[in-house]
Each structure stands twice: as structure tokens, then as C-alpha cells.
């Protein structure tokens, strides 16, 4: 399962790029707007921060077919790593079909049900983004929704990849991997929590203490 960072903060993106554990990023209009940067400047910083083979999900801010097409083509033309995020509305799925036929990769976002995911796959989506945490927030079962999407896609051999979004905990990421999703997009702090285990810390402290007490010389 691949991991993307869900962020528009360059410092966070750079930190995880340097650690080598992410395959791409997702942004959305909210994440981009809180940076306070001009969108053009932000995007060009993201392009230079990430290496060649990463995926960069950038979202349109239109809701009608013609404008989604214009914005989607413009985003895709910026860089070959771009996947265009489009909301799961009728005009968005229509635009997904058109852009996909042109060879532009589309991520259908704001997906909350298996039926929306089914339509997205039929519209040729490259990624589908179920927002798991937001379903949990309203006392619905986000994991069940994701599991059903994975099952439907596998049953009918859809090529659309499931991109688990709106992650709220490391436990979400574990469950996503067990459910067979293709990618999780997570906030920075949760990815950093994935590294942590108290036994790693105590084990390392012990190793170094024992080594230092023995006063051995290392090979370099
Ligand atoms: O980027 C889309 C999604 O991950 C948003 O998550 O935390 O705003 O529900 P959240």
C-alpha cells in the first residue's frame, strides 16, 4: 500500500520526501488556502520539492463541466506528475470521462458511498477518494464503505485505485492496509507516528548503553 501526504505545507512535504516513505501528495482547496501562498507559487514549490516519480494531486475549483475541463487540462499541462482532483458530482463525472479519454488522470474526490465509487470507476477515474474520517465524524462506518468499494472494484476488476482519504488515526492506516486499499493519504503527524514504538526506543537505548559500557571501537 502506497502512502501519500495530505498536505500543502512545503516543510512537511519536504521532510517526508527526504525520508523516502511517500509516493505522492494530495492537496485540496482548504489545505492550499491555509498556506497563505498564491496557488501558482505553491504549486511550483511542490513541483520542485518532490522527485520525478511522485504523484501530485491538485484539485479543480469548478462545478460545471466546461470549467472543470478547462481547469483540469490546465493543471495536467503543468507537470506530468499531476492527477486532477474533481468532485463527485454529475458534471464532475462527465468531465472525468472526457479527461480520462484524453489521457489525463483523474482522482474523483469527496466520495462517501460505494455507489459514488462505482460511478467514478465507470467514468474512468484513475483514483477514487473515499473520505473515511468524515463518515466516522457523522457516526457512519467509513471503514465499511471503503471495504465495500475495494470488494466491488476487485469483483469486477476495475482498474481505478482506492485512495483512502480523511485519515484520523494510525489505526485507520492499519485498517486501510488490511482492507486492501491501494493508497492512504495521511496528514504529516500521523505518518510520523507510524514510526513510533516504545520497544524500539527502549531497545535502542539499551543497545547503545551496552555498547558504550563495553568501550568497544566501531569499524569506522
Ligand atoms: O484531502 C482530502 C481529505 O483527506 C480531507 O481530510 O481531514 O479534511 O476530512 P479531512
Amino acid at each position: 500500500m502506497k502512502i501519500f501526504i495530505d498536505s500543502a505545507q512545503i516543510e512537511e512535504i519536504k521532510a517526508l520526501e527526504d525520508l523516502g516513505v511517500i509516493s505522492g501528495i494530495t492537496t485540496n482547496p482548504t489545505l492550499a488556502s491555509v498556506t497563505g501562498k498564491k496557488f501558482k507559487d505553491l504549486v511550483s514549490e511542490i513541483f520542485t520539492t518532490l522527485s520525478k516519480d511522485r504523484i501530485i494531486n491538485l484539485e479543480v475549483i469548478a462545478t460545471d463541466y466546461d470549467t472543470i475541463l478547462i481547469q483540469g487540462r490546465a493543471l495536467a499541462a503543468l507537470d506530468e506528475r499531476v492527477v486532477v482532483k474533481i468532485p463527485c458530482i454529475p458534471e464532475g463525472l462527465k468531465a472525468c470521462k472526457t479527461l480520462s479519454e484524453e489521457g489525463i488522470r483523474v482522482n474523483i474526490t469527496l466520495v462517501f458511498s460505494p455507489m459514488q465509487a462505482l460511478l467514478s470507476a465507470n467514468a474512468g477515474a484513475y483514483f477514487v477518494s473515499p473520505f473515511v474520517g468524515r463518515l466516522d465524524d457523522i457516526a457512519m462506518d467509513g471503514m465499511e464503505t471503503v471495504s465495500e468499494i475495494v470488494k466491488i472494484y476487485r469483483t469486477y476488476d476495475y482498474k481505478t485505485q482506492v485512495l483512502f482519504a480523511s485519515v484520523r488515526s494510525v489505526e485507520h492506516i492499519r485498517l486501510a492496509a488490511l482492507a486492501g486499499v491501494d493508497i492512504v493519504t495521511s496528514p504529516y503527524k500521523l505518518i510520523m507516528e507510524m514510526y513510533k514504538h516504545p520497544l524500539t526506543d527502549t531497545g535502542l537505548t539499551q543497545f547503545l548503553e551496552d555498547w558504550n559500557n563495553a568501550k568497544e571501537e566501531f569499524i569506522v
Side-chain angles (χ1 to χ4, degrees):
M1 184 183 75
K2 289 183 176 148
I3 300 170
F4 290 174
I5 177 172
D6 193 29
S7 175
Q9 301 294 332
I10 297 298
E11 313 72 45
E12 294 181 350
I13 296 167
K14 181 164 178 14
L16 291 184
E17 169 71 25
D18 289 349
L19 285 171
V21 293
I22 54 162
S23 304
I25 74 155
T26 50
T27 61
N28 62 41
T30 302
L31 292 173
S33 63
V34 296
T35 64
K37 295 178 180 172
K38 282 189 180 160
F39 188 57
K40 264 191 182 173
D41 296 340
L42 174 67
V43 164
S44 85
E45 276 188 76
I46 290 172
F47 289 156
T48 51
T49 303
L50 289 165
S51 59
K52 272 194 168 179
D53 55 344
R54 306 297 188 227
I55 298 280
I56 299 169
N57 289 267
L58 301 177
E59 188 157 346
V60 300
I61 49 158
T63 54
D64 67 282
Y65 174 73
D66 290 329
T67 317
I68 293 172
L69 285 189
I70 291 167
Q71 293 184 358
R73 286 174 185 142
L75 290 173
L78 291 174
D79 192 289
E80 61 186 13
R81 295 169 291 178
V82 169
V83 174
V84 178
K85 282 179 81 177
I86 297 177
C88 189
I89 54 176
E91 297 276 293
L93 292 184
K94 185 178 167 192
C96 174
K97 183 88 184 158
T98 305
L99 293 173
S100 300
E101 283 169 0
E102 291 173 12
I104 292 173
R105 295 175 296 181
V106 173
N107 174 354
I108 293 296
T109 188
L110 289 166
V111 166
F112 295 94
S113 78
M115 294 302 94
Q116 290 179 314
L118 183 59
L119 289 174
S120 302
N122 280 307
Y126 187 74
F127 294 141
V128 69
S129 293
F131 277 29
V132 179
R134 291 194 193 187
L135 281 167
D136 293 352
D137 290 347
I138 58 162
M140 293 187 72
D141 190 340
M143 268 319 303
E144 188 183 9
T145 300
V146 165
S147 299
E148 287 184 12
I149 294 170
V150 170
K151 187 172 181 189
I152 291 167
Y153 281 10
R154 300 285 189 272
T155 301
Y156 294 98
D157 202 22
Y158 283 109
K159 300 287 173 262
T160 308
Q161 296 175 58
V162 180
L163 201 172
F164 185 122
S166 188
V167 174
R168 295 279 186 268
S169 62
V170 172
E171 179 64 359
H172 260 163
I173 300 172
R174 187 180 76 88
L175 293 173
L178 289 172
V181 314
D182 300 284
I183 304 146
V184 159
T185 188
S186 165
Y188 172 81
K189 71 175 170 50
L190 294 181
I191 297 174
M192 294 312 293
E193 274 180 32
M194 291 169 72
Y195 282 94
K196 291 182 189 162
H197 197 286
L199 291 178
T200 304
D201 298 337
T202 52
L204 180 58
T205 303
Q206 185 74 56
F207 283 162
L208 296 178
E209 253 179 45
D210 291 347
W211 179 268
N212 289 334
N213 289 339
K215 300 196 182 340
E216 294 282 349
E217 281 197 12
F218 200 59
I219 51 171
V220 286

